[in-house]
Amino acid sequence: MSTQEERQHIIDVFHRRYATKKFDPNKKISDADWQTIIEAGRLSPSSFGYEPWKFLLIENPEIKEDLKKICWGAVNSLNGASHFVIILARKNVTINSPHVKHMVEDVMGVDFDVHSPRSEKFKSFQENDFDLNSDRALFDWASKQTYIPLTNMMTVAAELGIDSCPIEGFNRAKVDKYLADKGIIDPNKFGASVMLVIRSNQRRPGNQWMKYWKSLNSFIDKKRLGFVLKSNLFC
């Protein structure tokens, strides 16, 4: 049973966390902290456990500088980033893809059979339940899942007293082409989904935006069988 102190600590961490736009370029996070943050991403849940993602840690200064030209939302963050991560979404993850076979056999440790009950359920889920019947639909499905490790990594960073900023401000087609031209990704297998900048907790002045929340009752619609989230934030 958790204590009130433990519960309050969790809320305090979320009050402290915000999308930091500017960082002190002279501060770096420790390798131990980074390993904890990326491990939280690795251990994140995914649909059917197939983990349709890959994490790119960009350390090369030349690549960072090049990316500024096509990542308008990352320019300020890249100037002081301790760790700059591009989370890739895997393309064309279906029951017939080598990745699914790899996840079932090498990660889950069971024999793969395209006609097994699990495989049939996954196939029906994609084709019927979620209508994932195009390359774009499959990519968007995988891309949505990358936000699970993204969120877990930001939460763990906040727990460690480390700032972070998620970034969608980039031209996806241009980023994919750049990474492919550099030989960093195979564009037939992966595409950029979202970016994450991580930095030590030395915040630069004038950086923080005040968080404003409505009362709990104003954004939770109480229904007979539970709660329905309607809206949770306004500025």
Side-chain angles (χ1 to χ4, degrees):
M1 180 70 70
S2 60
T3 66
Q4 176 58 33
E5 183 179 354
E6 291 170 331
R7 291 190 291 270
Q8 185 59 49
H9 172 73
I10 293 171
I11 298 302
D12 289 343
V13 168
F14 277 90
H15 272 290
R16 181 193 177 283
R17 198 220 67 78
Y18 70 95
T20 310
K21 303 300 183 182
K22 296 179 182 179
F23 302 88
D24 185 338
N26 299 312
K27 302 294 183 178
K28 299 285 186 181
I29 68 172
S30 70
D31 185 63
D33 283 343
W34 163 247
Q35 291 300 326
T36 300
I37 292 168
I38 193 63
E39 183 70 354
R42 188 184 72 84
L43 294 173
S44 296
S46 60
S47 182
F48 284 80
Y50 290 154
E51 301 175 11
W53 53 59
K54 188 173 184 178
F55 304 94
L56 287 181
L57 175 60
I58 305 297
E59 298 180 301
N60 186 300
E62 179 184 344
I63 293 177
K64 288 182 179 180
E65 195 63 31
D66 289 344
L67 286 172
K68 289 180 182 180
K69 303 169 187 175
I70 50 179
C71 301
W72 53 268
V75 174
N76 288 334
S77 298
L78 279 169
N79 286 334
S82 174
H83 289 67
F84 178 64
V85 182
I86 301 177
I87 306 181
L88 305 174
R90 187 177 289 271
K91 296 182 178 181
N92 300 314
V93 177
T94 68
I95 195 57
N96 296 309
S97 66
H99 177 70
V100 169
K101 186 174 186 295
H102 157 68
M103 291 299 299
V104 172
E105 292 186 340
D106 301 329
V107 179
M108 300 177 185
V110 298
D111 293 334
F112 176 76
D113 181 357
V114 72
H115 299 298
S116 70
R118 178 188 178 88
S119 295
E120 293 288 354
K121 175 62 69 174
F122 179 58
K123 185 173 186 293
S124 177
F125 158 75
Q126 286 196 313
E127 296 178 358
N128 301 317
D129 297 337
F130 266 42
D131 192 23
L132 304 178
N133 295 303
S134 68
D135 290 348
R136 181 55 193 259
L138 285 167
F139 178 81
D140 288 346
W141 168 74
S143 183
K144 285 193 295 183
Q145 292 181 70
T146 66
Y147 283 70
I148 302 173
L150 169 74
T151 302
N152 286 343
M153 291 168 72
M154 289 191 297
T155 301
V156 169
E159 174 68 26
L160 294 172
I162 294 169
D163 290 328
S164 64
C165 182
I167 297 169
E168 285 187 324
F170 60 93
N171 185 301
R172 190 169 62 84
K174 291 182 179 180
V175 170
D176 287 352
K177 184 179 186 305
Y178 176 82
L179 296 175
D181 289 347
K182 287 286 187 179
I184 298 174
I185 68 169
D186 180 345
N188 294 314
K189 295 181 178 180
F190 291 100
S193 175
V194 66
M195 300 175 179
L196 175 64
V197 174
I198 301 171
R199 196 50 149 157
S200 75
N201 62 351
Q202 299 296 318
R203 304 176 178 188
R204 297 181 65 177
N207 192 22
Q208 184 167 2
W209 291 0
M210 182 67 69
K211 289 182 176 180
Y212 296 97
W213 282 275
K214 297 179 179 179
S215 67
L216 189 65
N217 288 334
S218 69
F219 67 83
I220 294 181
D221 188 12
K222 296 182 179 179
K223 299 295 184 182
R224 187 171 299 175
L225 298 180
F227 298 97
V228 177
L229 188 65
K230 295 173 65 178
S231 174
N232 70 331
L233 176 65
F234 73 96
C235 295

Short mmCIF file of all heavy atoms in Angstrom, two decimals, residues 54-60 62-64 66-68 70-71 84-89 91 139 170-188 190-195:
data_model
loop_
_atom_site.label_atom_id
_atom_site.label_comp_id
_atom_site.label_asym_id
_atom_site.label_seq_id
_atom_site.Cartn_x
_atom_site.Cartn_y
_atom_site.Cartn_z
N LYS A 54 12.69 2.10 -32.63
CA LYS A 54 14.14 2.07 -32.50
C LYS A 54 14.58 3.45 -32.03
O LYS A 54 13.99 4.46 -32.42
CB LYS A 54 14.80 1.74 -33.85
CG LYS A 54 16.30 1.49 -33.77
CD LYS A 54 16.83 1.01 -35.12
CE LYS A 54 18.31 0.68 -35.04
NZ LYS A 54 18.83 0.15 -36.34
N PHE A 55 15.61 3.50 -31.18
CA PHE A 55 16.07 4.76 -30.62
C PHE A 55 17.42 5.14 -31.24
O PHE A 55 18.36 4.34 -31.23
CB PHE A 55 16.24 4.65 -29.09
CG PHE A 55 15.00 4.21 -28.37
CD1 PHE A 55 14.78 2.88 -28.07
CD2 PHE A 55 14.03 5.13 -28.00
CE1 PHE A 55 13.63 2.46 -27.42
CE2 PHE A 55 12.88 4.74 -27.33
CZ PHE A 55 12.68 3.39 -27.05
N LEU A 56 17.49 6.35 -31.78
CA LEU A 56 18.74 6.87 -32.32
C LEU A 56 19.27 7.94 -31.39
O LEU A 56 18.61 8.96 -31.16
CB LEU A 56 18.52 7.50 -33.70
CG LEU A 56 18.26 6.59 -34.90
CD1 LEU A 56 18.10 7.44 -36.16
CD2 LEU A 56 19.39 5.59 -35.08
N LEU A 57 20.45 7.74 -30.83
CA LEU A 57 21.11 8.75 -30.02
C LEU A 57 22.08 9.50 -30.93
O LEU A 57 23.06 8.93 -31.40
CB LEU A 57 21.85 8.12 -28.85
CG LEU A 57 22.68 9.07 -27.98
CD1 LEU A 57 21.79 10.14 -27.36
CD2 LEU A 57 23.43 8.29 -26.90
N ILE A 58 21.78 10.77 -31.19
CA ILE A 58 22.59 11.58 -32.10
C ILE A 58 23.62 12.35 -31.29
O ILE A 58 23.29 13.25 -30.50
CB ILE A 58 21.71 12.56 -32.90
CG1 ILE A 58 20.60 11.80 -33.63
CG2 ILE A 58 22.57 13.35 -33.88
CD1 ILE A 58 21.08 10.80 -34.66
N GLU A 59 24.89 12.02 -31.48
CA GLU A 59 25.97 12.68 -30.76
C GLU A 59 26.89 13.48 -31.67
O GLU A 59 27.62 14.35 -31.21
CB GLU A 59 26.81 11.63 -30.01
CG GLU A 59 26.03 10.87 -28.95
CD GLU A 59 26.87 9.83 -28.23
OE1 GLU A 59 27.40 8.93 -28.90
OE2 GLU A 59 26.99 9.94 -26.99
N ASN A 60 26.85 13.21 -32.97
CA ASN A 60 27.73 13.87 -33.92
C ASN A 60 27.33 15.35 -34.08
O ASN A 60 26.21 15.65 -34.48
CB ASN A 60 27.65 13.16 -35.27
CG ASN A 60 28.64 13.69 -36.27
OD1 ASN A 60 28.61 14.87 -36.61
ND2 ASN A 60 29.51 12.83 -36.76
N GLU A 62 28.13 17.58 -36.29
CA GLU A 62 27.80 17.93 -37.68
C GLU A 62 26.37 17.52 -38.02
O GLU A 62 25.63 18.29 -38.66
CB GLU A 62 28.77 17.24 -38.63
CG GLU A 62 28.48 17.52 -40.10
CD GLU A 62 29.39 16.75 -41.03
OE1 GLU A 62 30.44 16.25 -40.58
OE2 GLU A 62 29.06 16.65 -42.23
N ILE A 63 25.97 16.35 -37.58
CA ILE A 63 24.60 15.89 -37.83
C ILE A 63 23.60 16.76 -37.08
O ILE A 63 22.55 17.14 -37.62
CB ILE A 63 24.44 14.41 -37.43
CG1 ILE A 63 25.28 13.53 -38.37
CG2 ILE A 63 22.97 13.98 -37.48
CD1 ILE A 63 25.24 12.06 -38.02
N LYS A 64 23.92 17.11 -35.86
CA LYS A 64 23.03 18.00 -35.08
C LYS A 64 22.85 19.33 -35.81
O LYS A 64 21.74 19.86 -35.89
CB LYS A 64 23.60 18.23 -33.69
CG LYS A 64 23.51 17.04 -32.75
CD LYS A 64 24.04 17.42 -31.38
CE LYS A 64 23.94 16.28 -30.41
NZ LYS A 64 24.46 16.62 -29.06
N ASP A 66 23.22 19.95 -39.02
CA ASP A 66 22.44 19.72 -40.24
C ASP A 66 20.95 19.61 -39.93
O ASP A 66 20.10 20.11 -40.68
CB ASP A 66 22.91 18.45 -40.95
CG ASP A 66 24.28 18.60 -41.60
OD1 ASP A 66 24.73 19.74 -41.77
OD2 ASP A 66 24.88 17.56 -41.93
N LEU A 67 20.63 18.94 -38.84
CA LEU A 67 19.23 18.71 -38.49
C LEU A 67 18.50 20.00 -38.13
O LEU A 67 17.27 20.09 -38.27
CB LEU A 67 19.12 17.71 -37.34
CG LEU A 67 19.41 16.25 -37.70
CD1 LEU A 67 19.48 15.39 -36.46
CD2 LEU A 67 18.36 15.71 -38.66
N LYS A 68 19.23 21.00 -37.67
CA LYS A 68 18.60 22.28 -37.34
C LYS A 68 17.87 22.87 -38.55
O LYS A 68 16.86 23.56 -38.40
CB LYS A 68 19.64 23.28 -36.85
CG LYS A 68 20.20 22.98 -35.47
CD LYS A 68 21.23 24.05 -35.09
CE LYS A 68 21.85 23.77 -33.75
NZ LYS A 68 22.85 24.80 -33.37
N ILE A 70 16.15 21.36 -40.78
CA ILE A 70 14.89 20.68 -41.11
C ILE A 70 14.09 20.32 -39.86
O ILE A 70 13.04 19.69 -39.95
CB ILE A 70 15.15 19.41 -41.96
CG1 ILE A 70 16.23 18.54 -41.31
CG2 ILE A 70 15.56 19.79 -43.37
CD1 ILE A 70 16.53 17.26 -42.08
N CYS A 71 14.60 20.74 -38.70
CA CYS A 71 13.91 20.49 -37.44
C CYS A 71 13.70 21.82 -36.71
O CYS A 71 14.39 22.13 -35.74
CB CYS A 71 14.72 19.53 -36.56
SG CYS A 71 15.05 17.92 -37.30
N PHE A 84 20.36 13.88 -27.48
CA PHE A 84 19.33 14.15 -28.49
C PHE A 84 18.94 12.81 -29.12
O PHE A 84 19.77 12.13 -29.72
CB PHE A 84 19.85 15.11 -29.55
CG PHE A 84 18.86 15.41 -30.65
CD1 PHE A 84 17.68 16.06 -30.37
CD2 PHE A 84 19.13 15.03 -31.96
CE1 PHE A 84 16.77 16.34 -31.38
CE2 PHE A 84 18.22 15.30 -32.97
CZ PHE A 84 17.04 15.96 -32.68
N VAL A 85 17.67 12.45 -28.96
CA VAL A 85 17.19 11.14 -29.39
C VAL A 85 16.12 11.30 -30.47
O VAL A 85 15.20 12.11 -30.32
CB VAL A 85 16.60 10.35 -28.20
CG1 VAL A 85 16.14 8.97 -28.65
CG2 VAL A 85 17.61 10.25 -27.07
N ILE A 86 16.25 10.53 -31.54
CA ILE A 86 15.19 10.41 -32.53
C ILE A 86 14.58 9.03 -32.35
O ILE A 86 15.27 8.01 -32.47
CB ILE A 86 15.71 10.57 -33.96
CG1 ILE A 86 16.37 11.95 -34.15
CG2 ILE A 86 14.56 10.41 -34.97
CD1 ILE A 86 16.98 12.15 -35.53
N ILE A 87 13.29 9.00 -32.05
CA ILE A 87 12.60 7.71 -31.92
C ILE A 87 11.99 7.37 -33.27
O ILE A 87 11.18 8.11 -33.80
CB ILE A 87 11.53 7.74 -30.82
CG1 ILE A 87 12.13 8.22 -29.49
CG2 ILE A 87 10.91 6.36 -30.64
CD1 ILE A 87 11.14 8.27 -28.34
N LEU A 88 12.41 6.24 -33.81
CA LEU A 88 11.93 5.79 -35.10
C LEU A 88 10.76 4.83 -34.94
O LEU A 88 10.71 4.05 -33.98
CB LEU A 88 13.06 5.06 -35.85
CG LEU A 88 14.37 5.82 -36.06
CD1 LEU A 88 15.40 4.89 -36.69
CD2 LEU A 88 14.15 7.05 -36.92
N ALA A 89 9.83 4.88 -35.87
CA ALA A 89 8.74 3.93 -35.93
C ALA A 89 9.03 2.93 -37.04
O ALA A 89 9.45 3.31 -38.14
CB ALA A 89 7.40 4.62 -36.19
N LYS A 91 8.25 0.39 -40.00
CA LYS A 91 7.25 0.35 -41.06
C LYS A 91 6.79 -1.09 -41.35
O LYS A 91 7.55 -2.04 -41.19
CB LYS A 91 7.81 0.98 -42.34
CG LYS A 91 8.15 2.46 -42.22
CD LYS A 91 8.66 3.03 -43.53
CE LYS A 91 8.94 4.52 -43.42
NZ LYS A 91 9.42 5.10 -44.70
N PHE A 139 2.21 2.68 -40.45
CA PHE A 139 3.24 3.55 -39.87
C PHE A 139 2.66 4.39 -38.75
O PHE A 139 3.28 4.55 -37.69
CB PHE A 139 3.85 4.45 -40.94
CG PHE A 139 4.89 5.39 -40.39
CD1 PHE A 139 6.19 4.97 -40.16
CD2 PHE A 139 4.56 6.70 -40.08
CE1 PHE A 139 7.14 5.82 -39.62
CE2 PHE A 139 5.51 7.57 -39.55
CZ PHE A 139 6.80 7.13 -39.32
N PHE A 170 9.42 19.13 -36.91
CA PHE A 170 10.38 18.78 -37.95
C PHE A 170 9.65 18.30 -39.20
O PHE A 170 8.50 17.86 -39.13
CB PHE A 170 11.37 17.71 -37.47
CG PHE A 170 10.73 16.39 -37.06
CD1 PHE A 170 10.59 15.36 -37.97
CD2 PHE A 170 10.30 16.18 -35.76
CE1 PHE A 170 10.02 14.15 -37.60
CE2 PHE A 170 9.73 14.98 -35.37
CZ PHE A 170 9.59 13.96 -36.29
N ASN A 171 10.32 18.40 -40.34
CA ASN A 171 9.78 17.90 -41.59
C ASN A 171 10.14 16.42 -41.70
O ASN A 171 11.29 16.07 -41.91
CB ASN A 171 10.36 18.68 -42.77
CG ASN A 171 9.73 18.29 -44.10
OD1 ASN A 171 9.78 17.13 -44.51
ND2 ASN A 171 9.13 19.26 -44.77
N ARG A 172 9.16 15.57 -41.53
CA ARG A 172 9.43 14.13 -41.44
C ARG A 172 10.07 13.57 -42.70
O ARG A 172 11.02 12.78 -42.64
CB ARG A 172 8.15 13.36 -41.12
CG ARG A 172 8.40 11.90 -40.77
CD ARG A 172 7.16 11.25 -40.20
NE ARG A 172 6.06 11.24 -41.15
CZ ARG A 172 5.92 10.31 -42.10
NH1 ARG A 172 6.80 9.34 -42.20
NH2 ARG A 172 4.90 10.35 -42.92
N ALA A 173 9.57 13.98 -43.85
CA ALA A 173 10.11 13.46 -45.10
C ALA A 173 11.58 13.85 -45.27
O ALA A 173 12.42 13.05 -45.70
CB ALA A 173 9.28 13.95 -46.28
N LYS A 174 11.90 15.11 -44.91
CA LYS A 174 13.27 15.58 -45.05
C LYS A 174 14.20 14.92 -44.04
O LYS A 174 15.36 14.61 -44.35
CB LYS A 174 13.32 17.10 -44.92
CG LYS A 174 12.68 17.83 -46.08
CD LYS A 174 12.79 19.34 -45.93
CE LYS A 174 12.17 20.06 -47.12
NZ LYS A 174 12.26 21.55 -46.99
N VAL A 175 13.70 14.70 -42.82
CA VAL A 175 14.51 14.02 -41.81
C VAL A 175 14.78 12.58 -42.23
O VAL A 175 15.92 12.09 -42.14
CB VAL A 175 13.83 14.06 -40.43
CG1 VAL A 175 14.55 13.14 -39.44
CG2 VAL A 175 13.82 15.49 -39.88
N ASP A 176 13.76 11.91 -42.73
CA ASP A 176 13.94 10.53 -43.19
C ASP A 176 14.96 10.46 -44.32
O ASP A 176 15.83 9.57 -44.35
CB ASP A 176 12.61 9.94 -43.66
CG ASP A 176 11.67 9.60 -42.52
OD1 ASP A 176 12.12 9.68 -41.35
OD2 ASP A 176 10.51 9.27 -42.78
N LYS A 177 14.85 11.39 -45.26
CA LYS A 177 15.78 11.40 -46.39
C LYS A 177 17.21 11.68 -45.92
O LYS A 177 18.17 11.03 -46.37
CB LYS A 177 15.37 12.45 -47.42
CG LYS A 177 16.25 12.46 -48.68
CD LYS A 177 15.78 13.48 -49.69
CE LYS A 177 16.58 13.37 -50.99
NZ LYS A 177 18.04 13.47 -50.78
N TYR A 178 17.36 12.63 -45.00
CA TYR A 178 18.69 12.96 -44.50
C TYR A 178 19.31 11.74 -43.81
O TYR A 178 20.48 11.40 -44.06
CB TYR A 178 18.61 14.13 -43.52
CG TYR A 178 19.93 14.45 -42.88
CD1 TYR A 178 20.87 15.24 -43.55
CD2 TYR A 178 20.26 13.95 -41.62
CE1 TYR A 178 22.10 15.53 -42.96
CE2 TYR A 178 21.49 14.24 -41.03
CZ TYR A 178 22.40 15.02 -41.72
OH TYR A 178 23.62 15.29 -41.14
N LEU A 179 18.55 11.10 -42.94
CA LEU A 179 19.07 9.93 -42.22
C LEU A 179 19.39 8.79 -43.17
O LEU A 179 20.37 8.06 -42.98
CB LEU A 179 18.07 9.48 -41.16
CG LEU A 179 17.78 10.46 -40.02
CD1 LEU A 179 16.70 9.93 -39.11
CD2 LEU A 179 19.05 10.77 -39.22
N ALA A 180 18.56 8.64 -44.20
CA ALA A 180 18.80 7.59 -45.20
C ALA A 180 20.05 7.89 -46.02
O ALA A 180 20.89 7.01 -46.27
CB ALA A 180 17.59 7.43 -46.10
N ASP A 181 20.20 9.15 -46.44
CA ASP A 181 21.37 9.54 -47.22
C ASP A 181 22.67 9.37 -46.43
O ASP A 181 23.73 9.10 -47.00
CB ASP A 181 21.24 11.00 -47.68
CG ASP A 181 20.17 11.19 -48.76
OD1 ASP A 181 19.73 10.17 -49.33
OD2 ASP A 181 19.79 12.35 -49.00
N LYS A 182 22.58 9.53 -45.12
CA LYS A 182 23.75 9.35 -44.26
C LYS A 182 24.00 7.87 -43.93
O LYS A 182 24.98 7.53 -43.27
CB LYS A 182 23.56 10.12 -42.95
CG LYS A 182 23.70 11.64 -43.09
CD LYS A 182 25.14 12.04 -43.29
CE LYS A 182 25.32 13.54 -43.26
NZ LYS A 182 26.74 13.94 -43.42
N GLY A 183 23.09 7.01 -44.40
CA GLY A 183 23.22 5.59 -44.11
C GLY A 183 22.85 5.21 -42.70
O GLY A 183 23.22 4.13 -42.22
N ILE A 184 22.11 6.08 -42.02
CA ILE A 184 21.74 5.84 -40.63
C ILE A 184 20.51 4.95 -40.52
O ILE A 184 20.41 4.12 -39.61
CB ILE A 184 21.51 7.18 -39.90
CG1 ILE A 184 22.81 8.00 -39.90
CG2 ILE A 184 21.02 6.96 -38.48
CD1 ILE A 184 22.67 9.40 -39.35
N ILE A 185 19.56 5.12 -41.45
CA ILE A 185 18.37 4.27 -41.44
C ILE A 185 18.12 3.69 -42.82
O ILE A 185 18.58 4.22 -43.83
CB ILE A 185 17.11 5.05 -40.99
CG1 ILE A 185 16.71 6.09 -42.04
CG2 ILE A 185 17.29 5.67 -39.62
CD1 ILE A 185 15.33 6.71 -41.81
N ASP A 186 17.38 2.60 -42.85
CA ASP A 186 16.82 2.07 -44.09
C ASP A 186 15.40 2.63 -44.18
O ASP A 186 14.54 2.25 -43.38
CB ASP A 186 16.80 0.54 -44.05
CG ASP A 186 16.21 -0.07 -45.32
OD1 ASP A 186 15.58 0.66 -46.10
OD2 ASP A 186 16.37 -1.29 -45.51
N PRO A 187 15.13 3.54 -45.12
CA PRO A 187 13.81 4.19 -45.17
C PRO A 187 12.67 3.23 -45.50
O PRO A 187 11.51 3.60 -45.33
CB PRO A 187 13.99 5.25 -46.26
CG PRO A 187 15.08 4.71 -47.13
CD PRO A 187 16.02 3.99 -46.20
N ASN A 188 13.00 2.03 -45.94
CA ASN A 188 11.96 1.04 -46.18
C ASN A 188 11.54 0.34 -44.89
O ASN A 188 10.50 -0.32 -44.85
CB ASN A 188 12.45 0.00 -47.18
CG ASN A 188 12.69 0.59 -48.56
OD1 ASN A 188 11.86 1.33 -49.08
ND2 ASN A 188 13.83 0.26 -49.16
N PHE A 190 12.21 2.02 -41.51
CA PHE A 190 11.99 2.95 -40.40
C PHE A 190 11.68 4.35 -40.91
O PHE A 190 12.10 4.74 -42.01
CB PHE A 190 13.21 3.02 -39.49
CG PHE A 190 13.48 1.79 -38.69
CD1 PHE A 190 14.45 0.89 -39.10
CD2 PHE A 190 12.77 1.53 -37.54
CE1 PHE A 190 14.71 -0.25 -38.37
CE2 PHE A 190 13.02 0.38 -36.79
CZ PHE A 190 14.00 -0.51 -37.21
N GLY A 191 10.98 5.13 -40.07
CA GLY A 191 10.74 6.54 -40.32
C GLY A 191 10.76 7.29 -39.00
O GLY A 191 10.43 6.72 -37.95
N ALA A 192 11.16 8.55 -39.03
CA ALA A 192 11.19 9.36 -37.81
C ALA A 192 9.78 9.56 -37.27
O ALA A 192 8.86 9.90 -38.02
CB ALA A 192 11.84 10.70 -38.09
N SER A 193 9.61 9.35 -35.98
CA SER A 193 8.30 9.51 -35.35
C SER A 193 8.25 10.74 -34.46
O SER A 193 7.37 11.59 -34.59
CB SER A 193 7.95 8.26 -34.54
OG SER A 193 6.73 8.44 -33.83
N VAL A 194 9.21 10.85 -33.54
CA VAL A 194 9.23 11.95 -32.59
C VAL A 194 10.65 12.08 -32.07
O VAL A 194 11.45 11.13 -32.17
CB VAL A 194 8.23 11.72 -31.44
CG1 VAL A 194 8.63 10.53 -30.58
CG2 VAL A 194 8.02 12.96 -30.59
N MET A 195 10.99 13.24 -31.54
CA MET A 195 12.33 13.48 -31.02
C MET A 195 12.25 13.83 -29.54
O MET A 195 11.22 14.28 -29.05
CB MET A 195 13.00 14.62 -31.80
CG MET A 195 13.15 14.34 -33.28
SD MET A 195 13.81 15.76 -34.18
CE MET A 195 13.88 15.08 -35.85
#
